[in-house]
Amino acid sequence: KPTLFEFMSRVPEDAGLSNTSLMVNGRYPSDGPVLTNVPGTVSGMHSAWLKYGSKKVPWADLIAPAIRAARGGYVVSDGLATTLATEREHFAKYEGSRALFFRNGEPLQAGDTLRNPDLAWVLEQIARNGADGFYKGEVATKWVNDLRAKGNAMKLTDLARYFAPEREPVSGTYRNYTVYSGAPPVSGGAELVARLNLLEQYPSPKSYRDDAASMHAALSAWFLVPSSRNRIADPALWPIDVAPITNKDTARVRWRCFDPAKALTPESVRGDTLACLKNRQNTGDAGHEALTREPDSPCGDDHAAEMSVCHASGTTAFTVADNDGNMVAVTQTLGTWGGNFYVTPGLGFLSNDKLTSYGTDPA
């Protein structure tokens, strides 16, 4: 039976809306240690191994190749080199980031070797002590002391009490396939099912590379997905119902906005009472939803409107399967290509910028 470990970052207890020190002139800073939430990757992977790992390979042996790569070095890829060049000014602000990613004042180039003995040491603590090697002990103390000295609200207790809960995945069907994906507080799983429900309304899609009509239908399905804003949150804190988003009846109604000859606009698909449907009914009220919705972040819906600088962003995901039919799909992200661009001296890893996912309006 498919299952899910949710390891999203969590806001430090003292980083609530009453903590005005996290803002600069009403905005989040564009980078740096203030933006870091409590990360979940180590807990998520260790929890999954504890519950479902065969234990034929010890935990420490699973970490060993990463330790070797960090200590012995690995070749800088085109992707990492592009990130360092694109976001150079943000990496260059910080001593730890410069020491790791720059040589003689210049960012590393593709083909260079990157050695990271600090990260190797951190990974050794995790190999020896499991998740506690990161969330407690010497790594946690060094990290929190550094972050708090530079304005972050994280405490040792924020790290120590982090856990990765096991949840029921969101599920749906698409043309006789069953789909399982991320559950709240992640919104992407429900949105994926909704998009596939919409695309299912298109009778016979072909390869998107070869058929413009199919590509247009797919783009339209992505546009028409119902908004998860104010619907999906932490199920430990609020009752959450994804059914209005994942329901196939919802898709059938919203697909009536699809026009095979015309592209949809963002304004036409906002809100629950779709302007594109109103247009087709000639009510003359097409602009209403665009006027009444809350303002967008300039960095997209995944970030607060209070962001001042938008960085290149993307998510790391990978899938592993074996001959016995076991499969693991993992999604992890720093937020932007470089997270918050800050490396604590002596620890060797970039942190996330996920505080910027949260707005600052108490309403």
Side-chain angles (χ1 to χ4, degrees):
K1 179 183 177 182
T3 191
L4 167 73
F5 283 92
E6 179 260 296
F7 56 94
M8 286 184 73
S9 74
R10 296 213 181 107
V11 178
E13 182 180 22
D14 291 343
L17 296 180
S18 61
N19 189 344
T20 57
S21 69
L22 303 175
M23 308 285 282
V24 178
N25 297 323
R27 291 185 177 275
Y28 288 115
S30 61
D31 51 49
V34 167
L35 303 179
T36 305
N37 281 350
V38 181
T41 299
V42 177
S43 177
M45 292 187 176
H46 191 241
S47 297
W49 178 79
L50 286 174
K51 182 75 180 284
Y52 294 106
S54 69
K55 310 303 188 293
K56 294 177 181 177
V57 181
W59 172 254
D61 289 356
L62 294 175
I63 311 298
I67 295 173
R68 286 196 299 272
R71 177 163 285 115
Y74 57 91
V75 176
V76 173
S77 66
D78 288 333
L80 176 54
T82 300
T83 296
L84 296 175
T86 302
E87 301 285 5
R88 174 175 179 159
E89 67 174 291
H90 298 280
F91 285 110
K93 288 182 180 181
Y94 303 110
E95 173 195 351
S97 304
R98 290 194 306 272
L100 183 58
F101 296 122
F102 284 60
R103 298 292 180 270
N104 301 316
E106 295 295 323
L108 293 172
Q109 305 290 311
D112 289 346
T113 297
L114 173 56
R115 293 181 176 85
N116 193 343
D118 293 337
L119 179 59
W121 175 79
V122 171
L123 292 170
E124 285 171 344
Q125 313 314 304
I126 296 169
R128 187 177 301 120
N129 300 305
D132 284 351
F134 181 81
Y135 295 94
K136 299 175 182 178
E138 197 172 354
V139 172
T141 300
K142 283 186 174 182
W143 198 38
V144 167
N145 287 346
D146 179 63
L147 292 180
R148 285 187 70 84
K150 294 177 173 63
N152 191 287
M154 197 184 303
K155 299 177 294 189
L156 284 171
T157 51
D158 291 309
L159 279 175
R161 66 188 179 192
Y162 186 91
F163 66 99
E166 189 173 4
R167 302 191 187 278
E168 186 82 17
V170 169
S171 62
T173 61
Y174 176 73
R175 304 185 195 273
N176 298 319
Y177 288 92
T178 302
V179 178
Y180 297 93
S181 194
V186 175
S187 62
E191 290 174 353
L192 175 63
V193 171
R195 288 173 174 128
L196 293 175
N197 286 343
L198 285 155
L199 187 57
E200 198 172 41
Q201 307 304 309
Y202 187 71
S204 302
K206 301 174 184 176
S207 169
Y208 308 141
R209 294 173 299 174
D210 305 325
D211 185 60
S214 296
M215 174 63 89
H216 173 53
L219 291 172
S220 298
W222 257 238
F223 253 101
L224 285 166
V225 64
S227 173
S228 61
R229 184 171 286 179
N230 297 326
R231 284 201 180 98
I232 292 183
D234 190 339
L237 301 177
W238 291 278
I240 304 298
D241 181 13
V242 300
I245 299 173
T246 61
N247 189 287
K248 288 189 183 291
D249 288 337
T250 300
R252 279 187 278 269
V253 170
R254 296 179 73 88
W255 191 250
R256 283 158 47 197
C257 284
F258 173 68
D259 184 339
K262 187 176 180 181
L264 293 162
T265 64
E267 290 74 19
S268 70
V269 298
R270 285 171 172 161
D272 293 327
T273 308
L274 293 175
C276 48
L277 288 179
K278 293 177 184 178
N279 285 343
R280 296 204 164 192
Q281 295 162 4
N282 296 317
T283 64
D285 192 26
H288 177 68
E289 296 296 337
L291 293 174
T292 58
R293 70 189 300 278
E294 60 186 288
D296 277 330
S297 163
C299 305
D301 284 350
D302 289 339
H303 288 272
E306 294 81 5
M307 284 297 293
S308 57
V309 175
C310 303
H311 304 283
S313 61
T315 293
T316 303
F318 59 89
T319 303
V320 183
D322 68 15
N323 290 335
D324 298 320
N326 301 299
M327 185 166 65
V328 179
V330 179
T331 304
Q332 55 183 5
T333 183
L334 289 169
T336 75
W337 284 1
N340 68 352
F341 305 98
Y342 180 78
V343 174
T344 291
L347 295 184
F349 59 83
L350 288 162
S351 302
N352 63 74
D353 73 335
K354 298 307 286 182
L355 186 64
T356 66
S357 296
Y358 296 86
T360 58
D361 180 357

PDB file of all heavy atoms in Angstrom, residues 107-139:
ATOM      1  N   PRO A 107      33.448  32.256  -8.951  1.00  0.00           N
ATOM      2  CA  PRO A 107      32.682  31.033  -8.694  1.00  0.00           C
ATOM      3  C   PRO A 107      33.278  29.852  -9.445  1.00  0.00           C
ATOM      4  O   PRO A 107      33.878  30.007 -10.512  1.00  0.00           O
ATOM      5  CB  PRO A 107      31.272  31.365  -9.193  1.00  0.00           C
ATOM      6  CG  PRO A 107      31.446  32.519 -10.130  1.00  0.00           C
ATOM      7  CD  PRO A 107      32.638  33.281  -9.646  1.00  0.00           C
ATOM      8  N   LEU A 108      33.106  28.658  -8.864  1.00  0.00           N
ATOM      9  CA  LEU A 108      33.597  27.448  -9.510  1.00  0.00           C
ATOM     10  C   LEU A 108      32.977  27.276 -10.890  1.00  0.00           C
ATOM     11  O   LEU A 108      31.837  27.677 -11.135  1.00  0.00           O
ATOM     12  CB  LEU A 108      33.273  26.225  -8.647  1.00  0.00           C
ATOM     13  CG  LEU A 108      33.998  26.140  -7.301  1.00  0.00           C
ATOM     14  CD1 LEU A 108      33.436  24.994  -6.471  1.00  0.00           C
ATOM     15  CD2 LEU A 108      35.498  25.966  -7.507  1.00  0.00           C
ATOM     16  N   GLN A 109      33.739  26.651 -11.784  1.00  0.00           N
ATOM     17  CA  GLN A 109      33.291  26.405 -13.148  1.00  0.00           C
ATOM     18  C   GLN A 109      32.962  24.925 -13.326  1.00  0.00           C
ATOM     19  O   GLN A 109      33.441  24.067 -12.575  1.00  0.00           O
ATOM     20  CB  GLN A 109      34.392  26.806 -14.135  1.00  0.00           C
ATOM     21  CG  GLN A 109      34.875  28.237 -13.989  1.00  0.00           C
ATOM     22  CD  GLN A 109      33.830  29.241 -14.440  1.00  0.00           C
ATOM     23  OE1 GLN A 109      33.268  29.110 -15.525  1.00  0.00           O
ATOM     24  NE2 GLN A 109      33.568  30.239 -13.606  1.00  0.00           N
ATOM     25  N   ALA A 110      32.174  24.627 -14.339  1.00  0.00           N
ATOM     26  CA  ALA A 110      31.897  23.231 -14.671  1.00  0.00           C
ATOM     27  C   ALA A 110      33.204  22.493 -14.926  1.00  0.00           C
ATOM     28  O   ALA A 110      34.095  22.998 -15.622  1.00  0.00           O
ATOM     29  CB  ALA A 110      30.990  23.152 -15.895  1.00  0.00           C
ATOM     30  N   GLY A 111      33.325  21.323 -14.333  1.00  0.00           N
ATOM     31  CA  GLY A 111      34.550  20.539 -14.465  1.00  0.00           C
ATOM     32  C   GLY A 111      35.509  20.688 -13.304  1.00  0.00           C
ATOM     33  O   GLY A 111      36.404  19.848 -13.122  1.00  0.00           O
ATOM     34  N   ASP A 112      35.373  21.769 -12.509  1.00  0.00           N
ATOM     35  CA  ASP A 112      36.185  21.902 -11.302  1.00  0.00           C
ATOM     36  C   ASP A 112      35.814  20.815 -10.298  1.00  0.00           C
ATOM     37  O   ASP A 112      34.717  20.242 -10.362  1.00  0.00           O
ATOM     38  CB  ASP A 112      35.965  23.275 -10.653  1.00  0.00           C
ATOM     39  CG  ASP A 112      36.574  24.418 -11.442  1.00  0.00           C
ATOM     40  OD1 ASP A 112      37.395  24.144 -12.340  1.00  0.00           O
ATOM     41  OD2 ASP A 112      36.210  25.592 -11.178  1.00  0.00           O
ATOM     42  N   THR A 113      36.717  20.547  -9.368  1.00  0.00           N
ATOM     43  CA  THR A 113      36.431  19.590  -8.295  1.00  0.00           C
ATOM     44  C   THR A 113      36.067  20.350  -7.028  1.00  0.00           C
ATOM     45  O   THR A 113      36.773  21.278  -6.626  1.00  0.00           O
ATOM     46  CB  THR A 113      37.647  18.682  -8.034  1.00  0.00           C
ATOM     47  OG1 THR A 113      37.910  17.913  -9.215  1.00  0.00           O
ATOM     48  CG2 THR A 113      37.379  17.741  -6.868  1.00  0.00           C
ATOM     49  N   LEU A 114      34.969  19.963  -6.422  1.00  0.00           N
ATOM     50  CA  LEU A 114      34.503  20.599  -5.190  1.00  0.00           C
ATOM     51  C   LEU A 114      34.680  19.618  -4.038  1.00  0.00           C
ATOM     52  O   LEU A 114      34.097  18.526  -4.038  1.00  0.00           O
ATOM     53  CB  LEU A 114      33.026  20.986  -5.318  1.00  0.00           C
ATOM     54  CG  LEU A 114      32.325  21.525  -4.060  1.00  0.00           C
ATOM     55  CD1 LEU A 114      33.076  22.726  -3.496  1.00  0.00           C
ATOM     56  CD2 LEU A 114      30.888  21.886  -4.362  1.00  0.00           C
ATOM     57  N   ARG A 115      35.507  19.973  -3.085  1.00  0.00           N
ATOM     58  CA  ARG A 115      35.692  19.167  -1.875  1.00  0.00           C
ATOM     59  C   ARG A 115      35.030  19.885  -0.703  1.00  0.00           C
ATOM     60  O   ARG A 115      35.156  21.094  -0.562  1.00  0.00           O
ATOM     61  CB  ARG A 115      37.182  18.927  -1.599  1.00  0.00           C
ATOM     62  CG  ARG A 115      37.844  18.047  -2.640  1.00  0.00           C
ATOM     63  CD  ARG A 115      39.313  17.800  -2.347  1.00  0.00           C
ATOM     64  NE  ARG A 115      39.888  16.870  -3.325  1.00  0.00           N
ATOM     65  CZ  ARG A 115      40.371  17.236  -4.505  1.00  0.00           C
ATOM     66  NH1 ARG A 115      40.360  18.528  -4.845  1.00  0.00           N
ATOM     67  NH2 ARG A 115      40.844  16.343  -5.336  1.00  0.00           N
ATOM     68  N   ASN A 116      34.348  19.118   0.131  1.00  0.00           N
ATOM     69  CA  ASN A 116      33.557  19.722   1.203  1.00  0.00           C
ATOM     70  C   ASN A 116      33.739  18.905   2.492  1.00  0.00           C
ATOM     71  O   ASN A 116      32.841  18.166   2.903  1.00  0.00           O
ATOM     72  CB  ASN A 116      32.081  19.765   0.785  1.00  0.00           C
ATOM     73  CG  ASN A 116      31.239  20.645   1.690  1.00  0.00           C
ATOM     74  OD1 ASN A 116      31.653  20.968   2.790  1.00  0.00           O
ATOM     75  ND2 ASN A 116      30.057  20.993   1.233  1.00  0.00           N
ATOM     76  N   PRO A 117      34.904  19.013   3.140  1.00  0.00           N
ATOM     77  CA  PRO A 117      35.143  18.230   4.368  1.00  0.00           C
ATOM     78  C   PRO A 117      34.194  18.604   5.501  1.00  0.00           C
ATOM     79  O   PRO A 117      33.907  17.756   6.363  1.00  0.00           O
ATOM     80  CB  PRO A 117      36.602  18.562   4.715  1.00  0.00           C
ATOM     81  CG  PRO A 117      36.888  19.851   4.006  1.00  0.00           C
ATOM     82  CD  PRO A 117      36.069  19.828   2.765  1.00  0.00           C
ATOM     83  N   ASP A 118      33.694  19.852   5.518  1.00  0.00           N
ATOM     84  CA  ASP A 118      32.737  20.238   6.561  1.00  0.00           C
ATOM     85  C   ASP A 118      31.448  19.430   6.440  1.00  0.00           C
ATOM     86  O   ASP A 118      30.900  18.956   7.436  1.00  0.00           O
ATOM     87  CB  ASP A 118      32.421  21.733   6.466  1.00  0.00           C
ATOM     88  CG  ASP A 118      33.623  22.604   6.796  1.00  0.00           C
ATOM     89  OD1 ASP A 118      34.534  22.119   7.496  1.00  0.00           O
ATOM     90  OD2 ASP A 118      33.654  23.764   6.352  1.00  0.00           O
ATOM     91  N   LEU A 119      30.952  19.287   5.207  1.00  0.00           N
ATOM     92  CA  LEU A 119      29.755  18.488   4.992  1.00  0.00           C
ATOM     93  C   LEU A 119      30.025  17.018   5.332  1.00  0.00           C
ATOM     94  O   LEU A 119      29.157  16.332   5.893  1.00  0.00           O
ATOM     95  CB  LEU A 119      29.268  18.619   3.554  1.00  0.00           C
ATOM     96  CG  LEU A 119      28.027  17.796   3.197  1.00  0.00           C
ATOM     97  CD1 LEU A 119      26.844  18.170   4.060  1.00  0.00           C
ATOM     98  CD2 LEU A 119      27.682  17.968   1.721  1.00  0.00           C
ATOM     99  N   ALA A 120      31.212  16.531   5.010  1.00  0.00           N
ATOM    100  CA  ALA A 120      31.557  15.153   5.355  1.00  0.00           C
ATOM    101  C   ALA A 120      31.443  14.938   6.860  1.00  0.00           C
ATOM    102  O   ALA A 120      30.923  13.902   7.318  1.00  0.00           O
ATOM    103  CB  ALA A 120      32.970  14.829   4.868  1.00  0.00           C
ATOM    104  N   TRP A 121      31.881  15.914   7.646  1.00  0.00           N
ATOM    105  CA  TRP A 121      31.784  15.803   9.108  1.00  0.00           C
ATOM    106  C   TRP A 121      30.325  15.761   9.556  1.00  0.00           C
ATOM    107  O   TRP A 121      29.947  14.950  10.417  1.00  0.00           O
ATOM    108  CB  TRP A 121      32.513  16.974   9.770  1.00  0.00           C
ATOM    109  CG  TRP A 121      32.355  16.974  11.260  1.00  0.00           C
ATOM    110  CD1 TRP A 121      33.049  16.198  12.159  1.00  0.00           C
ATOM    111  CD2 TRP A 121      31.429  17.752  12.011  1.00  0.00           C
ATOM    112  NE1 TRP A 121      32.594  16.448  13.438  1.00  0.00           N
ATOM    113  CE2 TRP A 121      31.613  17.402  13.377  1.00  0.00           C
ATOM    114  CE3 TRP A 121      30.470  18.708  11.690  1.00  0.00           C
ATOM    115  CZ2 TRP A 121      30.856  17.973  14.408  1.00  0.00           C
ATOM    116  CZ3 TRP A 121      29.723  19.288  12.703  1.00  0.00           C
ATOM    117  CH2 TRP A 121      29.914  18.924  14.051  1.00  0.00           C
ATOM    118  N   VAL A 122      29.492  16.625   8.973  1.00  0.00           N
ATOM    119  CA  VAL A 122      28.068  16.619   9.326  1.00  0.00           C
ATOM    120  C   VAL A 122      27.444  15.266   8.987  1.00  0.00           C
ATOM    121  O   VAL A 122      26.705  14.681   9.792  1.00  0.00           O
ATOM    122  CB  VAL A 122      27.322  17.759   8.585  1.00  0.00           C
ATOM    123  CG1 VAL A 122      25.816  17.621   8.778  1.00  0.00           C
ATOM    124  CG2 VAL A 122      27.797  19.116   9.084  1.00  0.00           C
ATOM    125  N   LEU A 123      27.737  14.757   7.802  1.00  0.00           N
ATOM    126  CA  LEU A 123      27.188  13.467   7.389  1.00  0.00           C
ATOM    127  C   LEU A 123      27.678  12.333   8.293  1.00  0.00           C
ATOM    128  O   LEU A 123      26.939  11.369   8.544  1.00  0.00           O
ATOM    129  CB  LEU A 123      27.553  13.188   5.936  1.00  0.00           C
ATOM    130  CG  LEU A 123      26.886  14.088   4.896  1.00  0.00           C
ATOM    131  CD1 LEU A 123      27.517  13.874   3.527  1.00  0.00           C
ATOM    132  CD2 LEU A 123      25.387  13.834   4.829  1.00  0.00           C
ATOM    133  N   GLU A 124      28.883  12.444   8.807  1.00  0.00           N
ATOM    134  CA  GLU A 124      29.385  11.426   9.741  1.00  0.00           C
ATOM    135  C   GLU A 124      28.572  11.418  11.026  1.00  0.00           C
ATOM    136  O   GLU A 124      28.311  10.349  11.599  1.00  0.00           O
ATOM    137  CB  GLU A 124      30.862  11.685  10.038  1.00  0.00           C
ATOM    138  CG  GLU A 124      31.781  11.283   8.889  1.00  0.00           C
ATOM    139  CD  GLU A 124      33.212  11.736   9.096  1.00  0.00           C
ATOM    140  OE1 GLU A 124      33.453  12.609   9.967  1.00  0.00           O
ATOM    141  OE2 GLU A 124      34.087  11.233   8.373  1.00  0.00           O
ATOM    142  N   GLN A 125      28.148  12.585  11.484  1.00  0.00           N
ATOM    143  CA  GLN A 125      27.304  12.632  12.692  1.00  0.00           C
ATOM    144  C   GLN A 125      25.955  11.964  12.419  1.00  0.00           C
ATOM    145  O   GLN A 125      25.398  11.267  13.268  1.00  0.00           O
ATOM    146  CB  GLN A 125      27.095  14.076  13.162  1.00  0.00           C
ATOM    147  CG  GLN A 125      28.341  14.944  13.231  1.00  0.00           C
ATOM    148  CD  GLN A 125      29.507  14.266  13.904  1.00  0.00           C
ATOM    149  OE1 GLN A 125      29.411  13.805  15.049  1.00  0.00           O
ATOM    150  NE2 GLN A 125      30.634  14.182  13.193  1.00  0.00           N
ATOM    151  N   ILE A 126      25.418  12.198  11.211  1.00  0.00           N
ATOM    152  CA  ILE A 126      24.134  11.593  10.837  1.00  0.00           C
ATOM    153  C   ILE A 126      24.302  10.082  10.667  1.00  0.00           C
ATOM    154  O   ILE A 126      23.419   9.304  11.060  1.00  0.00           O
ATOM    155  CB  ILE A 126      23.597  12.247   9.553  1.00  0.00           C
ATOM    156  CG1 ILE A 126      23.306  13.734   9.793  1.00  0.00           C
ATOM    157  CG2 ILE A 126      22.350  11.525   9.048  1.00  0.00           C
ATOM    158  CD1 ILE A 126      23.018  14.523   8.522  1.00  0.00           C
ATOM    159  N   ALA A 127      25.417   9.663  10.088  1.00  0.00           N
ATOM    160  CA  ALA A 127      25.666   8.230   9.921  1.00  0.00           C
ATOM    161  C   ALA A 127      25.768   7.533  11.268  1.00  0.00           C
ATOM    162  O   ALA A 127      25.293   6.407  11.448  1.00  0.00           O
ATOM    163  CB  ALA A 127      26.948   8.018   9.117  1.00  0.00           C
ATOM    164  N   ARG A 128      26.363   8.204  12.231  1.00  0.00           N
ATOM    165  CA  ARG A 128      26.603   7.604  13.547  1.00  0.00           C
ATOM    166  C   ARG A 128      25.343   7.620  14.412  1.00  0.00           C
ATOM    167  O   ARG A 128      25.056   6.672  15.139  1.00  0.00           O
ATOM    168  CB  ARG A 128      27.733   8.357  14.250  1.00  0.00           C
ATOM    169  CG  ARG A 128      28.202   7.731  15.556  1.00  0.00           C
ATOM    170  CD  ARG A 128      29.379   8.508  16.132  1.00  0.00           C
ATOM    171  NE  ARG A 128      30.503   8.540  15.189  1.00  0.00           N
ATOM    172  CZ  ARG A 128      31.032   9.656  14.681  1.00  0.00           C
ATOM    173  NH1 ARG A 128      30.549  10.839  15.028  1.00  0.00           N
ATOM    174  NH2 ARG A 128      32.042   9.591  13.845  1.00  0.00           N
ATOM    175  N   ASN A 129      24.562   8.694  14.317  1.00  0.00           N
ATOM    176  CA  ASN A 129      23.468   8.902  15.279  1.00  0.00           C
ATOM    177  C   ASN A 129      22.092   9.020  14.641  1.00  0.00           C
ATOM    178  O   ASN A 129      21.130   9.384  15.325  1.00  0.00           O
ATOM    179  CB  ASN A 129      23.748  10.178  16.096  1.00  0.00           C
ATOM    180  CG  ASN A 129      25.048  10.085  16.878  1.00  0.00           C
ATOM    181  OD1 ASN A 129      25.242   9.161  17.641  1.00  0.00           O
ATOM    182  ND2 ASN A 129      25.944  11.045  16.656  1.00  0.00           N
ATOM    183  N   GLY A 130      21.966   8.732  13.350  1.00  0.00           N
ATOM    184  CA  GLY A 130      20.670   8.875  12.701  1.00  0.00           C
ATOM    185  C   GLY A 130      20.261  10.339  12.629  1.00  0.00           C
ATOM    186  O   GLY A 130      21.104  11.243  12.605  1.00  0.00           O
ATOM    187  N   ALA A 131      18.961  10.574  12.619  1.00  0.00           N
ATOM    188  CA  ALA A 131      18.475  11.953  12.520  1.00  0.00           C
ATOM    189  C   ALA A 131      18.938  12.808  13.691  1.00  0.00           C
ATOM    190  O   ALA A 131      19.137  14.021  13.551  1.00  0.00           O
ATOM    191  CB  ALA A 131      16.948  11.961  12.422  1.00  0.00           C
ATOM    192  N   ASP A 132      19.116  12.189  14.865  1.00  0.00           N
ATOM    193  CA  ASP A 132      19.589  12.953  16.022  1.00  0.00           C
ATOM    194  C   ASP A 132      20.960  13.563  15.776  1.00  0.00           C
ATOM    195  O   ASP A 132      21.322  14.563  16.411  1.00  0.00           O
ATOM    196  CB  ASP A 132      19.656  12.063  17.264  1.00  0.00           C
ATOM    197  CG  ASP A 132      18.285  11.791  17.863  1.00  0.00           C
ATOM    198  OD1 ASP A 132      17.295  12.432  17.418  1.00  0.00           O
ATOM    199  OD2 ASP A 132      18.187  10.943  18.777  1.00  0.00           O
ATOM    200  N   GLY A 133      21.728  12.989  14.852  1.00  0.00           N
ATOM    201  CA  GLY A 133      23.031  13.559  14.535  1.00  0.00           C
ATOM    202  C   GLY A 133      22.932  14.919  13.874  1.00  0.00           C
ATOM    203  O   GLY A 133      23.911  15.679  13.856  1.00  0.00           O
ATOM    204  N   PHE A 134      21.749  15.232  13.358  1.00  0.00           N
ATOM    205  CA  PHE A 134      21.525  16.548  12.749  1.00  0.00           C
ATOM    206  C   PHE A 134      20.697  17.462  13.648  1.00  0.00           C
ATOM    207  O   PHE A 134      21.025  18.630  13.827  1.00  0.00           O
ATOM    208  CB  PHE A 134      20.814  16.382  11.400  1.00  0.00           C
ATOM    209  CG  PHE A 134      20.555  17.684  10.681  1.00  0.00           C
ATOM    210  CD1 PHE A 134      21.554  18.297   9.935  1.00  0.00           C
ATOM    211  CD2 PHE A 134      19.318  18.312  10.759  1.00  0.00           C
ATOM    212  CE1 PHE A 134      21.331  19.494   9.289  1.00  0.00           C
ATOM    213  CE2 PHE A 134      19.082  19.513  10.115  1.00  0.00           C
ATOM    214  CZ  PHE A 134      20.093  20.105   9.373  1.00  0.00           C
ATOM    215  N   TYR A 135      19.625  16.919  14.224  1.00  0.00           N
ATOM    216  CA  TYR A 135      18.671  17.757  14.953  1.00  0.00           C
ATOM    217  C   TYR A 135      19.052  17.972  16.417  1.00  0.00           C
ATOM    218  O   TYR A 135      18.439  18.781  17.105  1.00  0.00           O
ATOM    219  CB  TYR A 135      17.276  17.139  14.875  1.00  0.00           C
ATOM    220  CG  TYR A 135      16.717  17.117  13.467  1.00  0.00           C
ATOM    221  CD1 TYR A 135      16.862  16.000  12.653  1.00  0.00           C
ATOM    222  CD2 TYR A 135      16.082  18.233  12.941  1.00  0.00           C
ATOM    223  CE1 TYR A 135      16.372  15.985  11.351  1.00  0.00           C
ATOM    224  CE2 TYR A 135      15.588  18.227  11.640  1.00  0.00           C
ATOM    225  CZ  TYR A 135      15.743  17.100  10.850  1.00  0.00           C
ATOM    226  OH  TYR A 135      15.260  17.098   9.571  1.00  0.00           O
ATOM    227  N   LYS A 136      20.043  17.232  16.885  1.00  0.00           N
ATOM    228  CA  LYS A 136      20.521  17.384  18.256  1.00  0.00           C
ATOM    229  C   LYS A 136      22.042  17.318  18.236  1.00  0.00           C
ATOM    230  O   LYS A 136      22.646  16.975  17.234  1.00  0.00           O
ATOM    231  CB  LYS A 136      19.953  16.271  19.154  1.00  0.00           C
ATOM    232  CG  LYS A 136      18.442  16.252  19.244  1.00  0.00           C
ATOM    233  CD  LYS A 136      17.945  15.058  20.057  1.00  0.00           C
ATOM    234  CE  LYS A 136      16.416  15.024  20.101  1.00  0.00           C
ATOM    235  NZ  LYS A 136      15.912  13.835  20.841  1.00  0.00           N
ATOM    236  N   GLY A 137      22.658  17.647  19.354  1.00  0.00           N
ATOM    237  CA  GLY A 137      24.100  17.481  19.457  1.00  0.00           C
ATOM    238  C   GLY A 137      24.896  18.616  18.845  1.00  0.00           C
ATOM    239  O   GLY A 137      24.430  19.751  18.704  1.00  0.00           O
ATOM    240  N   GLU A 138      26.113  18.288  18.431  1.00  0.00           N
ATOM    241  CA  GLU A 138      27.081  19.310  18.051  1.00  0.00           C
ATOM    242  C   GLU A 138      26.684  20.040  16.775  1.00  0.00           C
ATOM    243  O   GLU A 138      26.863  21.256  16.658  1.00  0.00           O
ATOM    244  CB  GLU A 138      28.466  18.663  17.886  1.00  0.00           C
ATOM    245  CG  GLU A 138      29.608  19.663  17.905  1.00  0.00           C
ATOM    246  CD  GLU A 138      30.973  18.993  17.929  1.00  0.00           C
ATOM    247  OE1 GLU A 138      31.038  17.755  18.041  1.00  0.00           O
ATOM    248  OE2 GLU A 138      31.981  19.724  17.819  1.00  0.00           O
ATOM    249  N   VAL A 139      26.144  19.321  15.776  1.00  0.00           N
ATOM    250  CA  VAL A 139      25.732  19.980  14.538  1.00  0.00           C
ATOM    251  C   VAL A 139      24.636  20.994  14.830  1.00  0.00           C
ATOM    252  O   VAL A 139      24.705  22.157  14.390  1.00  0.00           O
ATOM    253  CB  VAL A 139      25.238  18.934  13.509  1.00  0.00           C
ATOM    254  CG1 VAL A 139      24.627  19.642  12.297  1.00  0.00           C
ATOM    255  CG2 VAL A 139      26.382  18.032  13.070  1.00  0.00           C
TER     256      VAL A 139
END
